[in-house]
PDB file of all heavy atoms in Angstrom:
ATOM      1  N   ARG A 560       3.639  -5.187  -2.645  1.00 92.00           N
ATOM      2  CA  ARG A 560       3.530  -4.903  -1.227  1.00 92.00           C
ATOM      3  C   ARG A 560       2.168  -5.376  -0.699  1.00 92.00           C
ATOM      4  O   ARG A 560       2.111  -5.761   0.479  1.00 92.00           O
ATOM      5  CB  ARG A 560       3.665  -3.379  -0.990  1.00 92.00           C
ATOM      6  CG  ARG A 560       3.778  -3.056   0.482  1.00 92.00           C
ATOM      7  CD  ARG A 560       4.276  -1.616   0.659  1.00 92.00           C
ATOM      8  NE  ARG A 560       3.444  -0.617   0.023  1.00 92.00           N
ATOM      9  CZ  ARG A 560       3.740   0.082  -1.039  1.00 92.00           C
ATOM     10  NH1 ARG A 560       4.935  -0.124  -1.630  1.00 92.00           N
ATOM     11  NH2 ARG A 560       2.922   0.960  -1.562  1.00 92.00           N
ATOM     12  N   HIS A 561       1.152  -5.405  -1.500  1.00 92.00           N
ATOM     13  CA  HIS A 561      -0.218  -5.686  -0.942  1.00 92.00           C
ATOM     14  C   HIS A 561      -0.890  -6.916  -1.553  1.00 92.00           C
ATOM     15  O   HIS A 561      -2.025  -7.233  -1.207  1.00 92.00           O
ATOM     16  CB  HIS A 561      -1.132  -4.502  -1.234  1.00 92.00           C
ATOM     17  CG  HIS A 561      -0.669  -3.200  -0.626  1.00 92.00           C
ATOM     18  ND1 HIS A 561      -0.541  -2.997   0.719  1.00 92.00           N
ATOM     19  CD2 HIS A 561      -0.242  -2.037  -1.200  1.00 92.00           C
ATOM     20  CE1 HIS A 561      -0.093  -1.790   0.984  1.00 92.00           C
ATOM     21  NE2 HIS A 561       0.101  -1.176  -0.204  1.00 92.00           N
ATOM     22  N   ALA A 562      -0.192  -7.677  -2.448  1.00 88.00           N
ATOM     23  CA  ALA A 562      -0.886  -8.749  -3.163  1.00 88.00           C
ATOM     24  C   ALA A 562      -1.381  -9.887  -2.242  1.00 88.00           C
ATOM     25  O   ALA A 562      -2.385 -10.534  -2.541  1.00 88.00           O
ATOM     26  CB  ALA A 562       0.067  -9.338  -4.245  1.00 88.00           C
ATOM     27  N   ASN A 563      -0.722 -10.162  -1.108  1.00 88.00           N
ATOM     28  CA  ASN A 563      -1.113 -11.263  -0.257  1.00 88.00           C
ATOM     29  C   ASN A 563      -2.196 -10.838   0.734  1.00 88.00           C
ATOM     30  O   ASN A 563      -2.680 -11.694   1.500  1.00 88.00           O
ATOM     31  CB  ASN A 563       0.086 -11.760   0.492  1.00 88.00           C
ATOM     32  CG  ASN A 563       1.063 -12.516  -0.405  1.00 88.00           C
ATOM     33  OD1 ASN A 563       0.604 -13.139  -1.391  1.00 88.00           O
ATOM     34  ND2 ASN A 563       2.347 -12.492  -0.085  1.00 88.00           N
ATOM     35  N   ARG A 564      -2.611  -9.610   0.780  1.00 90.00           N
ATOM     36  CA  ARG A 564      -3.646  -9.156   1.707  1.00 90.00           C
ATOM     37  C   ARG A 564      -5.008  -9.516   1.132  1.00 90.00           C
ATOM     38  O   ARG A 564      -5.181  -9.721  -0.071  1.00 90.00           O
ATOM     39  CB  ARG A 564      -3.535  -7.638   1.879  1.00 90.00           C
ATOM     40  CG  ARG A 564      -2.182  -7.182   2.444  1.00 90.00           C
ATOM     41  CD  ARG A 564      -2.108  -5.671   2.556  1.00 90.00           C
ATOM     42  NE  ARG A 564      -2.998  -5.163   3.542  1.00 90.00           N
ATOM     43  CZ  ARG A 564      -3.100  -3.856   3.854  1.00 90.00           C
ATOM     44  NH1 ARG A 564      -2.261  -2.981   3.231  1.00 90.00           N
ATOM     45  NH2 ARG A 564      -3.925  -3.428   4.757  1.00 90.00           N
ATOM     46  N   PRO A 565      -6.014  -9.643   2.008  1.00 92.00           N
ATOM     47  CA  PRO A 565      -7.392  -9.828   1.484  1.00 92.00           C
ATOM     48  C   PRO A 565      -7.772  -8.685   0.523  1.00 92.00           C
ATOM     49  O   PRO A 565      -7.342  -7.575   0.676  1.00 92.00           O
ATOM     50  CB  PRO A 565      -8.230  -9.783   2.780  1.00 92.00           C
ATOM     51  CG  PRO A 565      -7.288 -10.165   3.876  1.00 92.00           C
ATOM     52  CD  PRO A 565      -5.949  -9.617   3.467  1.00 92.00           C
ATOM     53  N   LEU A 566      -8.600  -9.092  -0.463  1.00 91.00           N
ATOM     54  CA  LEU A 566      -8.869  -8.114  -1.539  1.00 91.00           C
ATOM     55  C   LEU A 566      -9.624  -6.872  -0.975  1.00 91.00           C
ATOM     56  O   LEU A 566      -9.466  -5.786  -1.473  1.00 91.00           O
ATOM     57  CB  LEU A 566      -9.694  -8.770  -2.623  1.00 91.00           C
ATOM     58  CG  LEU A 566      -9.016  -9.924  -3.360  1.00 91.00           C
ATOM     59  CD1 LEU A 566      -9.779 -10.311  -4.611  1.00 91.00           C
ATOM     60  CD2 LEU A 566      -7.570  -9.524  -3.729  1.00 91.00           C
ATOM     61  N   ALA A 567     -10.440  -7.039   0.018  1.00 88.00           N
ATOM     62  CA  ALA A 567     -11.160  -5.926   0.583  1.00 88.00           C
ATOM     63  C   ALA A 567     -10.157  -4.915   1.203  1.00 88.00           C
ATOM     64  O   ALA A 567     -10.326  -3.684   1.101  1.00 88.00           O
ATOM     65  CB  ALA A 567     -12.120  -6.369   1.671  1.00 88.00           C
ATOM     66  N   GLU A 568      -9.063  -5.434   1.809  1.00 92.00           N
ATOM     67  CA  GLU A 568      -8.073  -4.524   2.342  1.00 92.00           C
ATOM     68  C   GLU A 568      -7.209  -3.923   1.256  1.00 92.00           C
ATOM     69  O   GLU A 568      -6.774  -2.770   1.377  1.00 92.00           O
ATOM     70  CB  GLU A 568      -7.160  -5.286   3.321  1.00 92.00           C
ATOM     71  CG  GLU A 568      -7.861  -5.838   4.558  1.00 92.00           C
ATOM     72  CD  GLU A 568      -6.938  -6.569   5.487  1.00 92.00           C
ATOM     73  OE1 GLU A 568      -5.708  -6.537   5.228  1.00 92.00           O
ATOM     74  OE2 GLU A 568      -7.420  -7.150   6.450  1.00 92.00           O
ATOM     75  N   GLN A 569      -6.999  -4.666   0.154  1.00 93.00           N
ATOM     76  CA  GLN A 569      -6.188  -4.101  -0.958  1.00 93.00           C
ATOM     77  C   GLN A 569      -6.882  -2.872  -1.534  1.00 93.00           C
ATOM     78  O   GLN A 569      -6.175  -1.932  -1.912  1.00 93.00           O
ATOM     79  CB  GLN A 569      -6.023  -5.178  -2.044  1.00 93.00           C
ATOM     80  CG  GLN A 569      -5.019  -6.267  -1.695  1.00 93.00           C
ATOM     81  CD  GLN A 569      -4.645  -7.111  -2.893  1.00 93.00           C
ATOM     82  OE1 GLN A 569      -4.507  -6.594  -4.008  1.00 93.00           O
ATOM     83  NE2 GLN A 569      -4.534  -8.419  -2.676  1.00 93.00           N
ATOM     84  N   SER A 570      -8.202  -2.904  -1.639  1.00 91.00           N
ATOM     85  CA  SER A 570      -8.859  -1.704  -2.188  1.00 91.00           C
ATOM     86  C   SER A 570      -8.569  -0.466  -1.394  1.00 91.00           C
ATOM     87  O   SER A 570      -8.210   0.586  -1.962  1.00 91.00           O
ATOM     88  CB  SER A 570     -10.382  -1.973  -2.227  1.00 91.00           C
ATOM     89  OG  SER A 570     -11.085  -0.818  -2.675  1.00 91.00           O
ATOM     90  N   GLY A 571      -8.685  -0.534  -0.062  1.00 93.00           N
ATOM     91  CA  GLY A 571      -8.335   0.606   0.762  1.00 93.00           C
ATOM     92  C   GLY A 571      -6.895   0.967   0.718  1.00 93.00           C
ATOM     93  O   GLY A 571      -6.521   2.158   0.707  1.00 93.00           O
ATOM     94  N   ALA A 572      -5.979  -0.053   0.611  1.00 94.00           N
ATOM     95  CA  ALA A 572      -4.550   0.205   0.553  1.00 94.00           C
ATOM     96  C   ALA A 572      -4.200   0.948  -0.742  1.00 94.00           C
ATOM     97  O   ALA A 572      -3.388   1.867  -0.754  1.00 94.00           O
ATOM     98  CB  ALA A 572      -3.763  -1.087   0.660  1.00 94.00           C
ATOM     99  N   PHE A 573      -4.816   0.478  -1.849  1.00 94.00           N
ATOM    100  CA  PHE A 573      -4.506   1.183  -3.165  1.00 94.00           C
ATOM    101  C   PHE A 573      -4.977   2.622  -3.110  1.00 94.00           C
ATOM    102  O   PHE A 573      -4.308   3.530  -3.605  1.00 94.00           O
ATOM    103  CB  PHE A 573      -5.226   0.421  -4.279  1.00 94.00           C
ATOM    104  CG  PHE A 573      -4.557  -0.889  -4.660  1.00 94.00           C
ATOM    105  CD1 PHE A 573      -3.608  -1.448  -3.852  1.00 94.00           C
ATOM    106  CD2 PHE A 573      -4.927  -1.534  -5.826  1.00 94.00           C
ATOM    107  CE1 PHE A 573      -3.008  -2.672  -4.205  1.00 94.00           C
ATOM    108  CE2 PHE A 573      -4.342  -2.725  -6.184  1.00 94.00           C
ATOM    109  CZ  PHE A 573      -3.385  -3.298  -5.378  1.00 94.00           C
ATOM    110  N   ALA A 574      -6.225   2.832  -2.572  1.00 94.00           N
ATOM    111  CA  ALA A 574      -6.722   4.186  -2.510  1.00 94.00           C
ATOM    112  C   ALA A 574      -5.849   5.081  -1.623  1.00 94.00           C
ATOM    113  O   ALA A 574      -5.582   6.248  -1.961  1.00 94.00           O
ATOM    114  CB  ALA A 574      -8.132   4.223  -2.027  1.00 94.00           C
ATOM    115  N   SER A 575      -5.370   4.534  -0.489  1.00 94.00           N
ATOM    116  CA  SER A 575      -4.511   5.328   0.394  1.00 94.00           C
ATOM    117  C   SER A 575      -3.188   5.632  -0.234  1.00 94.00           C
ATOM    118  O   SER A 575      -2.669   6.733  -0.113  1.00 94.00           O
ATOM    119  CB  SER A 575      -4.334   4.585   1.710  1.00 94.00           C
ATOM    120  OG  SER A 575      -5.548   4.352   2.375  1.00 94.00           O
ATOM    121  N   THR A 576      -2.600   4.649  -0.965  1.00 94.00           N
ATOM    122  CA  THR A 576      -1.326   4.868  -1.627  1.00 94.00           C
ATOM    123  C   THR A 576      -1.436   5.975  -2.673  1.00 94.00           C
ATOM    124  O   THR A 576      -0.575   6.848  -2.774  1.00 94.00           O
ATOM    125  CB  THR A 576      -0.855   3.559  -2.271  1.00 94.00           C
ATOM    126  OG1 THR A 576      -0.743   2.539  -1.270  1.00 94.00           O
ATOM    127  CG2 THR A 576       0.518   3.773  -2.975  1.00 94.00           C
ATOM    128  N   LEU A 577      -2.518   5.914  -3.487  1.00 94.00           N
ATOM    129  CA  LEU A 577      -2.699   6.931  -4.504  1.00 94.00           C
ATOM    130  C   LEU A 577      -2.928   8.291  -3.848  1.00 94.00           C
ATOM    131  O   LEU A 577      -2.353   9.313  -4.322  1.00 94.00           O
ATOM    132  CB  LEU A 577      -3.880   6.565  -5.410  1.00 94.00           C
ATOM    133  CG  LEU A 577      -4.166   7.557  -6.557  1.00 94.00           C
ATOM    134  CD1 LEU A 577      -2.954   7.628  -7.509  1.00 94.00           C
ATOM    135  CD2 LEU A 577      -5.421   7.169  -7.305  1.00 94.00           C
ATOM    136  N   ALA A 578      -3.729   8.385  -2.815  1.00 94.00           N
ATOM    137  CA  ALA A 578      -3.971   9.668  -2.148  1.00 94.00           C
ATOM    138  C   ALA A 578      -2.719  10.255  -1.566  1.00 94.00           C
ATOM    139  O   ALA A 578      -2.514  11.469  -1.664  1.00 94.00           O
ATOM    140  CB  ALA A 578      -5.043   9.500  -1.080  1.00 94.00           C
ATOM    141  N   ALA A 579      -1.866   9.443  -0.965  1.00 94.00           N
ATOM    142  CA  ALA A 579      -0.636   9.939  -0.394  1.00 94.00           C
ATOM    143  C   ALA A 579       0.293  10.502  -1.481  1.00 94.00           C
ATOM    144  O   ALA A 579       0.953  11.529  -1.279  1.00 94.00           O
ATOM    145  CB  ALA A 579       0.070   8.864   0.400  1.00 94.00           C
ATOM    146  N   TYR A 580       0.358   9.823  -2.637  1.00 95.00           N
ATOM    147  CA  TYR A 580       1.208  10.331  -3.726  1.00 95.00           C
ATOM    148  C   TYR A 580       0.621  11.562  -4.374  1.00 95.00           C
ATOM    149  O   TYR A 580       1.295  12.512  -4.724  1.00 95.00           O
ATOM    150  CB  TYR A 580       1.392   9.220  -4.760  1.00 95.00           C
ATOM    151  CG  TYR A 580       2.238   9.651  -5.924  1.00 95.00           C
ATOM    152  CD1 TYR A 580       3.636   9.719  -5.803  1.00 95.00           C
ATOM    153  CD2 TYR A 580       1.697   9.998  -7.117  1.00 95.00           C
ATOM    154  CE1 TYR A 580       4.475  10.153  -6.850  1.00 95.00           C
ATOM    155  CE2 TYR A 580       2.489  10.427  -8.203  1.00 95.00           C
ATOM    156  CZ  TYR A 580       3.880  10.461  -8.052  1.00 95.00           C
ATOM    157  OH  TYR A 580       4.667  10.899  -9.074  1.00 95.00           O
ATOM    158  N   GLN A 581      -0.726  11.566  -4.506  1.00 93.00           N
ATOM    159  CA  GLN A 581      -1.399  12.632  -5.201  1.00 93.00           C
ATOM    160  C   GLN A 581      -1.263  13.969  -4.451  1.00 93.00           C
ATOM    161  O   GLN A 581      -1.056  15.013  -5.054  1.00 93.00           O
ATOM    162  CB  GLN A 581      -2.889  12.306  -5.435  1.00 93.00           C
ATOM    163  CG  GLN A 581      -3.662  13.404  -6.103  1.00 93.00           C
ATOM    164  CD  GLN A 581      -5.146  12.981  -6.325  1.00 93.00           C
ATOM    165  OE1 GLN A 581      -5.491  11.820  -6.187  1.00 93.00           O
ATOM    166  NE2 GLN A 581      -5.999  13.935  -6.662  1.00 93.00           N
ATOM    167  N   GLY A 582      -1.382  13.915  -3.156  1.00 93.00           N
ATOM    168  CA  GLY A 582      -1.287  15.163  -2.353  1.00 93.00           C
ATOM    169  C   GLY A 582      -2.357  16.199  -2.731  1.00 93.00           C
ATOM    170  O   GLY A 582      -3.529  15.878  -2.815  1.00 93.00           O
ATOM    171  N   SER A 583      -1.881  17.410  -3.029  1.00 93.00           N
ATOM    172  CA  SER A 583      -2.785  18.494  -3.395  1.00 93.00           C
ATOM    173  C   SER A 583      -3.035  18.607  -4.842  1.00 93.00           C
ATOM    174  O   SER A 583      -3.800  19.512  -5.270  1.00 93.00           O
ATOM    175  CB  SER A 583      -2.192  19.846  -2.858  1.00 93.00           C
ATOM    176  OG  SER A 583      -0.952  20.081  -3.457  1.00 93.00           O
ATOM    177  N   HIS A 584      -2.491  17.725  -5.679  1.00 94.00           N
ATOM    178  CA  HIS A 584      -2.708  17.790  -7.101  1.00 94.00           C
ATOM    179  C   HIS A 584      -4.132  17.329  -7.443  1.00 94.00           C
ATOM    180  O   HIS A 584      -4.664  16.414  -6.843  1.00 94.00           O
ATOM    181  CB  HIS A 584      -1.728  16.909  -7.861  1.00 94.00           C
ATOM    182  CG  HIS A 584      -0.312  17.379  -7.755  1.00 94.00           C
ATOM    183  ND1 HIS A 584       0.229  18.289  -8.644  1.00 94.00           N
ATOM    184  CD2 HIS A 584       0.664  17.064  -6.878  1.00 94.00           C
ATOM    185  CE1 HIS A 584       1.485  18.510  -8.309  1.00 94.00           C
ATOM    186  NE2 HIS A 584       1.785  17.783  -7.252  1.00 94.00           N
ATOM    187  N   PRO A 585      -4.776  17.977  -8.421  1.00 94.00           N
ATOM    188  CA  PRO A 585      -6.146  17.581  -8.758  1.00 94.00           C
ATOM    189  C   PRO A 585      -6.141  16.215  -9.491  1.00 94.00           C
ATOM    190  O   PRO A 585      -5.136  15.855 -10.094  1.00 94.00           O
ATOM    191  CB  PRO A 585      -6.636  18.700  -9.687  1.00 94.00           C
ATOM    192  CG  PRO A 585      -5.383  19.258 -10.291  1.00 94.00           C
ATOM    193  CD  PRO A 585      -4.342  19.141  -9.202  1.00 94.00           C
ATOM    194  N   GLN A 586      -7.309  15.514  -9.427  1.00 92.00           N
ATOM    195  CA  GLN A 586      -7.407  14.263 -10.160  1.00 92.00           C
ATOM    196  C   GLN A 586      -7.396  14.570 -11.646  1.00 92.00           C
ATOM    197  O   GLN A 586      -8.170  15.372 -12.156  1.00 92.00           O
ATOM    198  CB  GLN A 586      -8.696  13.506  -9.761  1.00 92.00           C
ATOM    199  CG  GLN A 586      -8.853  12.161 -10.436  1.00 92.00           C
ATOM    200  CD  GLN A 586     -10.022  11.335  -9.911  1.00 92.00           C
ATOM    201  OE1 GLN A 586     -10.464  11.594  -8.787  1.00 92.00           O
ATOM    202  NE2 GLN A 586     -10.545  10.457 -10.709  1.00 92.00           N
ATOM    203  N   ARG A 587      -6.531  13.861 -12.416  1.00 92.00           N
ATOM    204  CA  ARG A 587      -6.320  14.173 -13.817  1.00 92.00           C
ATOM    205  C   ARG A 587      -7.288  13.420 -14.737  1.00 92.00           C
ATOM    206  O   ARG A 587      -7.705  13.915 -15.773  1.00 92.00           O
ATOM    207  CB  ARG A 587      -4.897  13.854 -14.178  1.00 92.00           C
ATOM    208  CG  ARG A 587      -4.542  14.054 -15.681  1.00 92.00           C
ATOM    209  CD  ARG A 587      -3.103  13.695 -15.945  1.00 92.00           C
ATOM    210  NE  ARG A 587      -2.169  14.605 -15.309  1.00 92.00           N
ATOM    211  CZ  ARG A 587      -0.852  14.476 -15.340  1.00 92.00           C
ATOM    212  NH1 ARG A 587      -0.294  13.445 -15.968  1.00 92.00           N
ATOM    213  NH2 ARG A 587      -0.058  15.363 -14.747  1.00 92.00           N
ATOM    214  N   ASP A 588      -7.674  12.186 -14.390  1.00 92.00           N
ATOM    215  CA  ASP A 588      -8.462  11.345 -15.281  1.00 92.00           C
ATOM    216  C   ASP A 588      -9.367  10.459 -14.425  1.00 92.00           C
ATOM    217  O   ASP A 588      -9.220  10.330 -13.224  1.00 92.00           O
ATOM    218  CB  ASP A 588      -7.485  10.487 -16.114  1.00 92.00           C
ATOM    219  CG  ASP A 588      -8.145   9.894 -17.396  1.00 92.00           C
ATOM    220  OD1 ASP A 588      -9.405  10.093 -17.530  1.00 92.00           O
ATOM    221  OD2 ASP A 588      -7.483   9.216 -18.129  1.00 92.00           O
ATOM    222  N   ASP A 589     -10.306   9.784 -15.127  1.00 92.00           N
ATOM    223  CA  ASP A 589     -11.131   8.782 -14.418  1.00 92.00           C
ATOM    224  C   ASP A 589     -10.253   7.606 -14.038  1.00 92.00           C
ATOM    225  O   ASP A 589      -9.333   7.227 -14.785  1.00 92.00           O
ATOM    226  CB  ASP A 589     -12.240   8.322 -15.359  1.00 92.00           C
ATOM    227  CG  ASP A 589     -13.124   9.484 -15.811  1.00 92.00           C
ATOM    228  OD1 ASP A 589     -13.375  10.384 -14.994  1.00 92.00           O
ATOM    229  OD2 ASP A 589     -13.573   9.469 -16.960  1.00 92.00           O
ATOM    230  N   ILE A 590     -10.526   6.998 -12.886  1.00 94.00           N
ATOM    231  CA  ILE A 590      -9.665   5.900 -12.357  1.00 94.00           C
ATOM    232  C   ILE A 590     -10.556   4.645 -12.147  1.00 94.00           C
ATOM    233  O   ILE A 590     -11.639   4.759 -11.479  1.00 94.00           O
ATOM    234  CB  ILE A 590      -9.030   6.319 -11.030  1.00 94.00           C
ATOM    235  CG1 ILE A 590      -8.050   7.460 -11.270  1.00 94.00           C
ATOM    236  CG2 ILE A 590      -8.296   5.139 -10.391  1.00 94.00           C
ATOM    237  CD1 ILE A 590      -7.494   8.040 -10.022  1.00 94.00           C
ATOM    238  N   THR A 591     -10.099   3.514 -12.691  1.00 95.00           N
ATOM    239  CA  THR A 591     -10.827   2.291 -12.522  1.00 95.00           C
ATOM    240  C   THR A 591      -9.819   1.156 -12.361  1.00 95.00           C
ATOM    241  O   THR A 591      -8.846   1.028 -13.136  1.00 95.00           O
ATOM    242  CB  THR A 591     -11.737   1.981 -13.711  1.00 95.00           C
ATOM    243  OG1 THR A 591     -12.661   3.037 -13.868  1.00 95.00           O
ATOM    244  CG2 THR A 591     -12.509   0.663 -13.444  1.00 95.00           C
ATOM    245  N   ILE A 592      -9.993   0.302 -11.275  1.00 96.00           N
ATOM    246  CA  ILE A 592      -9.220  -0.918 -11.130  1.00 96.00           C
ATOM    247  C   ILE A 592     -10.211  -2.065 -10.780  1.00 96.00           C
ATOM    248  O   ILE A 592     -11.075  -1.928  -9.894  1.00 96.00           O
ATOM    249  CB  ILE A 592      -8.193  -0.784  -9.968  1.00 96.00           C
ATOM    250  CG1 ILE A 592      -7.152   0.270 -10.281  1.00 96.00           C
ATOM    251  CG2 ILE A 592      -7.512  -2.132  -9.703  1.00 96.00           C
ATOM    252  CD1 ILE A 592      -6.076   0.428  -9.196  1.00 96.00           C
ATOM    253  N   VAL A 593     -10.071  -3.161 -11.496  1.00 96.00           N
ATOM    254  CA  VAL A 593     -10.836  -4.394 -11.216  1.00 96.00           C
ATOM    255  C   VAL A 593      -9.833  -5.457 -10.818  1.00 96.00           C
ATOM    256  O   VAL A 593      -8.887  -5.756 -11.559  1.00 96.00           O
ATOM    257  CB  VAL A 593     -11.708  -4.825 -12.392  1.00 96.00           C
ATOM    258  CG1 VAL A 593     -12.310  -6.191 -12.111  1.00 96.00           C
ATOM    259  CG2 VAL A 593     -12.747  -3.785 -12.691  1.00 96.00           C
ATOM    260  N   CYS A 594     -10.034  -6.060  -9.651  1.00 96.00           N
ATOM    261  CA  CYS A 594      -9.108  -7.097  -9.137  1.00 96.00           C
ATOM    262  C   CYS A 594      -9.925  -8.348  -8.813  1.00 96.00           C
ATOM    263  O   CYS A 594     -11.042  -8.285  -8.295  1.00 96.00           O
ATOM    264  CB  CYS A 594      -8.410  -6.568  -7.872  1.00 96.00           C
ATOM    265  SG  CYS A 594      -7.468  -7.852  -6.979  1.00 96.00           S
ATOM    266  N   PHE A 595      -9.349  -9.534  -9.151  1.00 95.00           N
ATOM    267  CA  PHE A 595     -10.038 -10.809  -8.879  1.00 95.00           C
ATOM    268  C   PHE A 595      -9.053 -11.898  -8.535  1.00 95.00           C
ATOM    269  O   PHE A 595      -7.864 -11.821  -9.000  1.00 95.00           O
ATOM    270  CB  PHE A 595     -11.004 -11.213 -10.022  1.00 95.00           C
ATOM    271  CG  PHE A 595     -10.251 -11.437 -11.312  1.00 95.00           C
ATOM    272  CD1 PHE A 595      -9.759 -12.679 -11.680  1.00 95.00           C
ATOM    273  CD2 PHE A 595     -10.078 -10.334 -12.195  1.00 95.00           C
ATOM    274  CE1 PHE A 595      -9.152 -12.833 -12.929  1.00 95.00           C
ATOM    275  CE2 PHE A 595      -9.463 -10.518 -13.444  1.00 95.00           C
ATOM    276  CZ  PHE A 595      -8.972 -11.783 -13.797  1.00 95.00           C
ATOM    277  N   ARG A 596      -9.492 -12.874  -7.830  1.00 94.00           N
ATOM    278  CA  ARG A 596      -8.659 -14.015  -7.366  1.00 94.00           C
ATOM    279  C   ARG A 596      -9.575 -15.215  -7.292  1.00 94.00           C
ATOM    280  O   ARG A 596     -10.732 -15.122  -6.806  1.00 94.00           O
ATOM    281  CB  ARG A 596      -8.040 -13.696  -6.064  1.00 94.00           C
ATOM    282  CG  ARG A 596      -7.181 -14.831  -5.484  1.00 94.00           C
ATOM    283  CD  ARG A 596      -6.839 -14.547  -4.011  1.00 94.00           C
ATOM    284  NE  ARG A 596      -6.029 -13.388  -3.875  1.00 94.00           N
ATOM    285  CZ  ARG A 596      -5.847 -12.720  -2.692  1.00 94.00           C
ATOM    286  NH1 ARG A 596      -6.446 -13.200  -1.639  1.00 94.00           N
ATOM    287  NH2 ARG A 596      -5.111 -11.678  -2.617  1.00 94.00           N
ATOM    288  N   PHE A 597      -9.107 -16.383  -7.782  1.00 92.00           N
ATOM    289  CA  PHE A 597      -9.882 -17.604  -7.706  1.00 92.00           C
ATOM    290  C   PHE A 597      -9.075 -18.671  -6.962  1.00 92.00           C
ATOM    291  O   PHE A 597      -7.886 -18.952  -7.367  1.00 92.00           O
ATOM    292  CB  PHE A 597     -10.234 -18.150  -9.083  1.00 92.00           C
ATOM    293  CG  PHE A 597     -11.323 -17.323  -9.746  1.00 92.00           C
ATOM    294  CD1 PHE A 597     -11.001 -16.213 -10.510  1.00 92.00           C
ATOM    295  CD2 PHE A 597     -12.646 -17.689  -9.621  1.00 92.00           C
ATOM    296  CE1 PHE A 597     -11.960 -15.440 -11.102  1.00 92.00           C
ATOM    297  CE2 PHE A 597     -13.610 -16.910 -10.241  1.00 92.00           C
ATOM    298  CZ  PHE A 597     -13.292 -15.797 -10.961  1.00 92.00           C
ATOM    299  N   ALA A 598      -9.599 -19.206  -5.902  1.00 81.00           N
ATOM    300  CA  ALA A 598      -8.861 -20.239  -5.114  1.00 81.00           C
ATOM    301  C   ALA A 598      -8.775 -21.541  -5.845  1.00 81.00           C
ATOM    302  O   ALA A 598      -9.601 -21.870  -6.689  1.00 81.00           O
ATOM    303  CB  ALA A 598      -9.593 -20.399  -3.758  1.00 81.00           C
TER     304      ALA A 598
END
């Protein structure tokens, strides 16, 4: 859904998607994502 968006926007989109799914549940583990693209 978000791969074609600029990477700066993808970061916010991923965080929003996770927050919407998580709801009131507490964070279970440390979370790390590294994304890169080379033209």
